[in-house]
Amino acid sequence: MKYVVFWEYNPNEIDSAVKKLKAFREEVKKNPEKYAKPLTPNYTMSVGFKGFQIFESDDPEQLARMVLHYRPEVKFEIVHITETKKTVSLYDEYK
């Protein structure tokens, strides 16, 4: 399954958030099987201190590990996504 993971941090905690980001990248290099697979780079948005990245995972614990790593400095919103053609196909099945 694919997910858009939105993140946001308080600008007063930028140093801590960046340290956690660097540590997380090292941890993923050592143990990639424990974490969701990134499908895109990490994007920073131009509104506030927010961004997003798209991940793939069939194990919700992989995403939970990431969220726990960044707490309390970073807040997350994780949204499951489906290709529109699949959604339309499912819709047609239920008509």
Side-chain angles (χ1 to χ4, degrees):
M1 297 195 305
K2 294 178 183 161
Y3 301 88
V4 177
V5 177
F6 294 95
W7 51 264
E8 179 176 7
Y9 62 88
N10 181 320
N12 296 329
E13 297 177 336
I14 188 170
D15 290 336
S16 181
V18 170
K19 283 180 188 175
K20 285 192 171 188
L21 172 63
K22 290 176 181 178
F24 185 73
R25 287 180 175 166
E26 289 302 314
E27 173 60 22
V28 170
K29 284 181 190 176
K30 293 177 190 171
N31 298 296
E33 72 285 350
K34 288 186 173 185
Y35 301 96
K37 177 183 174 185
L39 299 180
T40 66
N42 210 352
Y43 291 98
T44 300
M45 300 187 301
S46 62
V47 292
F49 295 85
K50 301 176 183 184
F52 70 93
Q53 190 168 11
I54 298 176
F55 289 90
E56 185 172 50
S57 178
D58 291 326
D59 181 358
E61 288 182 14
Q62 291 179 324
L63 293 164
R65 281 188 191 95
M66 179 178 65
V67 170
L68 290 170
H69 172 84
Y70 283 100
R71 283 192 177 175
E73 290 86 356
V74 181
K75 296 179 197 173
F76 290 91
E77 180 180 358
I78 299 173
V79 180
H80 174 258
I81 58 174
T82 306
E83 287 184 55
T84 301
K85 69 180 180 179
K86 179 64 176 174
T87 303
V88 171
S89 174
L90 290 169
Y91 173 77
D92 287 341
E93 288 179 25
Y94 288 101
K95 288 194 321 180

